[in-house]
Amino acid sequence: MIPSFLLSASVSIPPPLPTLLVVPTGIGCEIGGYAGDALPSARLLAAASGCLITHPNVINGAALYWSDPRIQYVEGYSLDRFAAGELGLRPVRQQRIGLLLDAGIEPELRQRQWQVAEGCRASLGLNLGPVVTTDVPLEVRLREGSSGASWGELGQPDALLRAGEQLRDAGASAIAVVARFPEDPQSEALRAYRQGSGVDALAGAEAVISHLLVRELGLPCAHAPALSPLPCDPLLDPRAAGEELGYTFLACVLVGLSRAPDLVPLTTEEALPAGAELLHAEQLGAVVAPEGALGGEAVLACLERGVPLITVTNPSVLKVTPEALAITSGVQRARSYAEAAGLLLALREGIAKDSLQRPLDRLSEISSSSDTPLS
């Protein structure tokens, strides 16, 4: 039982501090380089800020998911446009999710995707449908950049867009995509990834697919790869476990999209504060990103508009640090996402960061010129 004095205490709760959390896709981040392993950190930052805006790569956990009304699920391309002040985000109660299936998926694997969709309707009450299959296979190809980051190509982008347009015209307000991805279960890269090192080889190509649909259709989109189940690995890294629990990655995508905010294009005039029902970049109170991955559009746009940047120690294959970008002010460094949550709370509560540190420097005094009159 909660003591009565706690129930009766009058507590002033500060308003939410809208915060952008970015963990770039396909660069092998120690936290966030796997399916959903950044979700605990995102939940903590959502609790600290009261409103967290982040992308599917952060919270998609394959067969695992966690719904939190304080987290806005925003695909990476639209997240960049939001940070640049070109899009507003309109929170919604429910999206109608159209399911887009690649014609290259084999019949049994396709049936597994269909069963996930039916299960999410029956067990979670999601509003799904219609379903469209592309008229030709999408032909996904995986690539790796010179930095070690993953990316990819789409052999039939027009087929993807035709299917997306069909879903939009049939009334879908968000789109979940399942594309057949190439696989090599014996590859050394996959073995290393499953055992805790290396980069997610699929993530870069997934971003290509979702970026294209969002850019052309203006609807919330997210992607789940279609892959054959892998044999059990007794040395599996805990971060990879969520990816190997079932036959598909689709469940988390459907849950995330079910309440993804609408994407509202803004004119120059409309980019000013437009009311509580529309989130826009002018409301951002902070952006959180790995300290070595600061070169993305969203982070740079936030820096340009003076949004406080919290960098977190989260190693990856990139080394785009504040020093590399010659950023000399407006940066707060955190050794963990837990420490970043503390910094967000300080910002939200209006507590000066310096007052939390020791030693506490003395106040400095500016000397006035003798010929300057005092007011």
Side-chain angles (χ1 to χ4, degrees), residues 284-287 299-309 329-330:
L284 282 174
V287 55
V299 173
L300 295 178
C302 287
L303 286 171
E304 187 174 339
R305 66 174 67 248
V307 177
L309 169 63
S329 62

Side-chain angles (χ1 to χ4, degrees), residues 35-95:
D37 75 296
L39 180 51
S41 299
R43 291 178 58 199
L44 182 62
L45 296 179
S49 66
C51 175
L52 189 73
I53 303 154
T54 192
H55 48 106
N57 178 62
V58 170
I59 56 178
N60 279 353
L64 305 175
Y65 48 83
W66 192 278
S67 186
D68 188 325
R70 297 168 298 189
I71 298 178
Q72 299 296 325
Y73 184 93
V74 182
E75 186 275 339
Y77 174 83
S78 45
L79 189 114
D80 290 343
R81 303 281 66 76
F82 166 76
E86 298 171 12
L87 284 178
L89 306 176
R90 181 185 294 128
V92 301
R93 292 182 181 276
Q94 181 190 73
Q95 295 285 10

Side-chain angles (χ1 to χ4, degrees), residues 5-374:
F5 72 87
L6 289 179
L7 291 173
S8 61
S10 176
V11 179
S12 176
I13 300 176
L17 182 82
T19 297
L20 201 63
L21 170 61
V22 178
V23 184
T25 299
I27 64 170
C29 283
E30 194 169 85
I31 297 174
Y34 287 78
D37 75 296
L39 180 51
S41 299
R43 291 178 58 199
L44 182 62
L45 296 179
S49 66
C51 175
L52 189 73
I53 303 154
T54 192
H55 48 106
N57 178 62
V58 170
I59 56 178
N60 279 353
L64 305 175
Y65 48 83
W66 192 278
S67 186
D68 188 325
R70 297 168 298 189
I71 298 178
Q72 299 296 325
Y73 184 93
V74 182
E75 186 275 339
Y77 174 83
S78 45
L79 189 114
D80 290 343
R81 303 281 66 76
F82 166 76
E86 298 171 12
L87 284 178
L89 306 176
R90 181 185 294 128
V92 301
R93 292 182 181 276
Q94 181 190 73
Q95 295 285 10
R96 183 185 180 193
I97 308 169
L99 181 57
L100 194 162
L101 298 176
D102 182 357
I105 302 174
E106 302 90 329
E108 181 176 343
L109 196 51
R110 170 191 165 87
Q111 188 62 39
R112 294 294 187 185
Q113 317 304 320
W114 197 285
Q115 288 171 346
V116 170
E118 295 286 30
C120 285
R121 293 175 63 225
S123 298
L124 303 180
L126 303 190
N127 186 7
L128 304 183
V131 180
V132 167
T133 301
T134 59
D135 47 29
V136 295
L138 293 177
E139 300 176 7
V140 177
R141 295 187 285 268
L142 306 181
R143 298 287 185 265
E144 182 179 302
S146 58
S147 67
S150 70
W151 60 286
E153 298 173 339
L154 200 58
Q156 299 291 337
D158 290 344
L160 177 71
L161 291 176
R162 285 193 295 271
E165 289 166 354
Q166 281 185 271
L167 290 171
R168 179 198 59 194
D169 296 344
S173 59
I175 298 177
V177 187
V178 184
R180 186 61 165 103
F181 269 47
E183 52 189 328
D184 179 4
Q186 304 304 319
S187 76
E188 179 59 28
L190 177 60
R191 185 201 64 79
Y193 175 76
R194 296 177 78 196
Q195 295 180 10
S197 62
V199 170
D200 181 355
L202 312 181
E206 291 191 274
V208 169
I209 292 168
S210 61
H211 287 13
L212 178 60
L213 281 171
V214 172
R215 187 185 70 195
E216 296 299 323
L217 302 182
L219 299 179
C221 297
H223 177 268
L227 296 165
S228 303
L230 291 167
C232 186
D233 183 353
L235 300 178
L236 188 71
D237 189 279
R239 295 172 296 170
E243 304 178 48
E244 308 207 13
L245 298 179
Y247 288 94
T248 86
F249 295 72
L250 182 57
C252 64
V253 168
L254 296 177
V255 171
L257 285 173
S258 68
R259 291 189 178 178
D262 286 336
L263 309 176
V264 182
L266 300 176
T267 65
T268 303
E269 294 78 15
E270 292 171 332
L272 297 174
E277 294 304 312
L278 189 67
L279 279 168
H280 46 80
E282 294 295 333
Q283 295 171 308
L284 282 174
V287 55
V288 181
E291 65 180 356
L294 304 181
E297 286 188 63
V299 173
L300 295 178
C302 287
L303 286 171
E304 187 174 339
R305 66 174 67 248
V307 177
L309 169 63
I310 299 174
T311 66
V312 181
T313 302
N314 186 7
S316 72
V317 299
L318 300 184
K319 304 296 180 186
V320 187
T321 63
E323 291 75 20
L325 295 174
I327 301 171
T328 57
S329 62
V331 179
Q332 302 182 40
R333 298 176 187 264
R335 291 166 293 183
S336 68
Y337 285 100
E339 187 174 336
L343 293 173
L344 282 179
L345 275 172
L347 285 170
R348 186 178 178 188
E349 293 282 352
I351 298 172
K353 176 176 69 74
D354 291 346
S355 69
L356 304 173
Q357 299 174 340
R358 297 296 183 271
L360 183 61
D361 294 335
R362 295 178 182 274
L363 285 173
S364 60
E365 182 178 1
I366 299 176
S367 61
S368 58
S369 174
S370 59
D371 58 355
T372 302
L374 298 176

